Amino acid sequence: MQVRHLVETSNQPHVILRVIPFDGTSFPTAGHGLDYAHGPVSALDTAQLDTSHGSELVYAVGKLETYRLVLDRMEQATLKPAASRELIHRIAKDT
């Protein structure tokens, strides 16, 4: 079951799992995927968007700041990693 796999995978040190709760919390970018690749050289940061017309890579500084802000807001709307694992674990038990 995928839910159990998420819980198991989230225990790995390089994985951070955060869940947006079902309590009606709104969050940005609902409806399309956003991956943000970053590292020690910020000039190489890239956002990858899944859009209705296909995948789009974004690397313009202004746009990257916007997507970083979106991800920061999304993180604020999520449960902490331990609470996220617990919620997923409870969902797995209930199904």
Side-chain angles (χ1 to χ4, degrees), residues 19-37:
V19 174
I20 297 173
F22 297 113
D23 66 1
T25 302
S26 64
F27 57 95
T29 73
H32 73 269
L34 167 62
D35 294 318
Y36 191 97

Side-chain angles (χ1 to χ4, degrees), residues 51-79:
T51 67
S52 60
H53 61 276
S55 182
E56 181 179 338
L57 295 175
V58 177
Y59 46 86
V61 174
K63 295 244 184 210
L64 287 175
E65 289 174 3
T66 299
Y67 291 120
R68 185 70 249 165
L69 181 61
V70 166
L71 291 173
D72 290 345
R73 288 181 181 162
M74 190 176 295
E75 184 175 358
Q76 291 171 3
T78 64
L79 299 173

Side-chain angles (χ1 to χ4, degrees), residues 17 19 78-90:
L17 178 68
V19 174
T78 64
L79 299 173
K80 300 293 184 205
S84 294
R85 275 193 303 277
E86 177 58 32
L87 176 60
I88 291 172
H89 182 69
R90 279 185 292 166

